[in-house]
Each structure stands twice: as C-alpha cells, then as structure tokens.
Amino acid sequence: MKKLCVLLSLFVLVCSIVTPVWARTFVNIGTGGVTGVYYPTGGAISRMLNKKSKVYGIKVTVDSTSGSVYNINAILSGEMDFGIAQSDRQYQAYKGLAEWSQRGPQSDLRSVFAIHPESITLIAAQQSRVASVVDLKGKRVNVGNPGSGQLQNSKDVLATFGLDLASIHGDQVKAVEAPGLLQDEKIDAFFYTVGHPNGNIKEATSGRIKVRIVPIKGPKIDILLKKYPYYASSRIPVEFYPNAVNSEDIESIGVKATLVVSQKLDDAIVYALTKEVFDNLEAFKKLHPAYAVLTKENMLQGLTAPIHRGALKYYQEADLLHYIKPDLIADPLQ
Ligand code: GLU
C-alpha cells in the first residue's frame, strides 16, 4: 500500500512538472506586411510573452496579413487571437461604420492597448511633380489593398481635396509591393498609413528614382481633423529617410496602432500578454524606434472598443485604471 502511495505521489509530481508543456496554448497575432511596423510589433510582443512561456503555458506566433481590416475581421471570426489595427478602424468596426456599415456594430471587439503612432504617408516620384495631394489628379496611385487600414485613409484624404478613386488611376496592391512599383515607374505615388521609421519607406526612398514624401496639410486638412475624432496631426522626421528629396520634417495626419481581440478570448491569455508588455515597457520600447514615445498613459488613449477583461484585470492591479476613459470599462471585473 505504502509503495502504491509513493508511486502515486511520484506520478502526480511528474504530471505537475510536465503539465505546462502539455497544456501549452498557441495564440497568434495578425499584423501587416513584412516591411511595415505591425509585423515587427507582433514579433516584439511575442518575444516578451514567449520568454515566459513556461510560466503561462502560452506560445505566441506572428502572422503577416493584409492589415487592420483583415485583422479585425479575423479576430471576430475566431480565425486569429490578437490583431493589430489602426485606431480609426477600431472606432469604425465597433460603431459599424465604413467597411462594417453593412454588418453593423462589431460589439464583440475589445481593445487591449494602443501602440505606436502612425502617419498617413504619401510617397511620390519626384519626376511626377506631386507637391500636394491635389496634384494626384490623373496620376497612377496605389491607395492600398482591401483589408488594409490605409485604403479608407487614402479615400478620406483624396475626398478632402475634391478627388476620388475615379479622378486618379488607382491601384489597390499591398504596401509591400508599392516601393518596387514606384521605382519601376509603374506608379507615380502611393499611400501607406504606417509608423516611422519603417523598411517600406526606406526602400521606396533608396532607389534610382528620386522620391518625395508629400505633406498632407493645409486648411482643408484642418477641417478634416475637426470632422473625424480619430485623426490627429503628425510629423514624419526627415532624418529617418535621408535619401528622400525632402529637406525638412513632413507634416501629415495620423492615427495609432492598437492591439485588439474578441471579447471571447480567454482572460488569462490577455492578462498575461498585457502584464508582460507593461511590466517590461522599457525593454519593449527598445525593440523598435517607433515605440520611443510610448508611455503607460498614452498606451491607454485612442481606444474605442471596451478594454478586454483580462487586460482590465492587469490595469486594476497595476493601478492604471485612472488613465482609462470610464466608458471603456464596460465588462465588469470579477
Ligand atoms: N496601418 C497599416 C494597416 O492597417 C499597416 C501598417 C504596418 O504594417 O505597419 O493596414
């Protein structure tokens, strides 16, 4: 009997040691094209959490995708666990606007935190003589692929200057292909809503064809800023792109990258990810220059969908709830 007891306790002990390996949950993060900032952001987040995979029993993988709209739809359909999405697309999905106007408000959408700022970036070949958005009339312009965040931003900016997709020769290919098309003289310009610096704009500005980053500014843009709550003025530092023909920082408008999930995602998983990023924020910030401006406070701003319960549990523990707009605390804490 004693022998049996010892054997049984040994079995229990072995089980408790190996259980985290058996119970490892795989979660994925939907990002964007490999030359943008979402993809390395997925990498940075996964690195933080995978360091603790033995503690949490979670392993994170990163998927390159078509961008914000694709990611939101993929998390809501359960195809993906986490997704990175522009703050304006989070707003529109939650409220049932733009791409979601047919399907209505996406009430299962939850936010986790905001990440780096993104600027609507307009890149044009110098020879195309595009000095302002209005000069895009009749030009070959890549406005962004369906599924990306920038497609709607390009339409908003064009509309502000009295243009639409019919007044340009519009392409809708992925941002990753746009620098090559510009350098091959197949397009004159492209829009990309993205954090800076990034590999895509470096590639676009480093070839044979000289390239200008075109400012998105002026009285018409001031009206647009008043009309849409999710756009803010931004500035692209010229020092990031020394090969561009610009000589000073470029004024533009922008949004924020945010991390989103479905309210159905397990609280413990969202808690673990939030805790690892926030508890190690200084280490996280070193993983990409676009994160230099991040603070715990601004990572809780620019969100529209209620905060997921798992993240909220961490924010309560870390005494960060006072940074959160009260209407984002819709799911009661246990
Ligand atoms: N903002 C872009 C989008 O939502 C992605 C930018 C990036 O990959 O860094 O599609």
Side-chain angles (χ1 to χ4, degrees):
M1 186 63 192
K2 205 169 166 202
K3 225 178 189 172
L4 191 69
C5 274
V6 171
L7 270 176
L8 216 65
S9 352
L10 255 176
F11 180 72
V12 169
L13 185 74
V14 169
C15 281
S16 69
I17 293 168
V18 297
T19 295
V21 179
W22 287 351
R24 189 164 291 167
T25 307
F26 285 85
V27 295
N28 56 2
I29 306 182
T31 60
V34 292
T35 54
V37 182
Y38 286 11
Y39 187 71
T41 297
I45 294 173
S46 67
R47 206 177 308 171
M48 304 256 64
L49 201 57
N50 287 343
K51 271 191 201 158
K52 295 281 184 68
S53 67
K54 287 211 174 86
V55 177
Y56 297 116
I58 300 168
K59 190 94 185 134
V60 187
T61 59
V62 179
D63 289 347
S64 169
T65 73
S66 317
S68 289
V69 174
Y70 177 90
N71 295 340
I72 291 177
N73 292 334
I75 58 160
L76 292 172
S77 68
E79 187 192 323
M80 230 158 230
D81 301 298
F82 290 88
I84 307 179
Q86 292 176 200
S87 50
D88 55 326
R89 317 332 302 284
Q90 185 189 133
Y91 177 99
Q92 288 161 336
Y94 191 68
K95 292 184 186 289
L97 306 169
E99 275 95 343
W100 296 274
S101 57
Q102 302 287 317
R103 276 177 288 160
Q106 303 297 300
S107 52
D108 274 351
L109 187 65
R110 291 293 177 271
S111 52
V112 184
F113 49 74
I115 325 171
H116 57 279
E118 301 188 85
S119 288
I120 304 180
T121 308
L122 175 58
I123 298 288
Q126 189 181 27
Q127 62 197 23
S128 69
R129 298 183 195 287
V130 174
S132 161
V133 177
V134 76
D135 302 328
L136 290 175
K137 191 163 192 244
K139 302 277 195 239
R140 299 161 302 170
V141 186
N142 185 40
V143 288
N145 56 296
S148 73
Q150 56 266 6
L151 181 55
Q152 186 61 43
N153 301 141
S154 313
K155 289 183 189 168
D156 287 346
V157 169
L158 289 171
T160 303
F161 287 87
L163 303 176
D164 59 16
L165 297 185
S167 34
I168 56 168
H169 296 288
D171 257 342
Q172 300 199 0
V173 302
K174 289 186 174 176
V176 71
E177 292 171 39
L181 293 174
L182 193 72
Q183 287 298 329
D184 289 347
E185 300 178 60
K186 298 219 165 75
I187 56 173
D188 299 303
F190 70 91
F191 283 98
Y192 192 18
T193 304
V194 67
H196 295 281
N198 64 73
N200 186 292
I201 308 298
K202 278 190 187 152
E203 184 189 340
T205 51
S206 305
R208 178 179 60 88
I209 299 288
K210 289 286 155 224
V211 161
R212 165 174 291 116
I213 307 174
V214 181
I216 300 178
K217 62 172 187 182
K220 290 187 167 132
I221 288 295
D222 295 340
I223 296 169
L224 174 117
L225 287 173
K226 287 210 180 88
K227 187 167 161 198
Y228 298 113
Y230 40 75
Y231 286 133
S233 47
S234 70
R235 186 172 283 271
I236 303 166
V238 71
E239 66 187 35
F240 288 151
Y241 307 108
N243 296 324
V245 299
N246 306 66
S247 53
E248 49 192 48
D249 289 355
I250 303 97
E251 282 181 56
S252 185
I253 57 170
V255 292
K256 269 183 172 190
T258 71
L259 188 67
V260 290
V261 289
S262 159
Q263 61 109 356
K264 294 190 183 114
L265 187 61
D266 195 87
D267 289 6
I269 294 173
V270 183
Y271 172 85
L273 184 146
T274 310
K275 182 173 168 59
E276 285 315 308
V277 172
F278 272 72
D279 279 358
N280 303 293
L281 189 56
E282 288 316 307
F284 179 80
K285 284 170 68 172
K286 293 203 178 82
L287 298 177
H288 198 288
Y291 310 149
V293 295
L294 296 187
T295 63
K296 288 183 183 174
E297 182 175 358
N298 66 29
M299 288 175 80
L300 294 169
Q301 289 164 352
L303 306 169
T304 309
I307 310 259
H308 187 279
R309 272 181 323 272
L312 215 47
K313 181 173 175 241
Y314 171 77
Y315 299 139
Q316 187 177 44
E317 268 175 31
D319 194 20
L320 297 171
L321 287 185
H322 56 281
Y323 289 144
I324 300 173
K325 278 201 301 180
D327 59 331
L328 298 183
I329 309 182
D331 299 331
L333 279 161
Q334 312 294 314

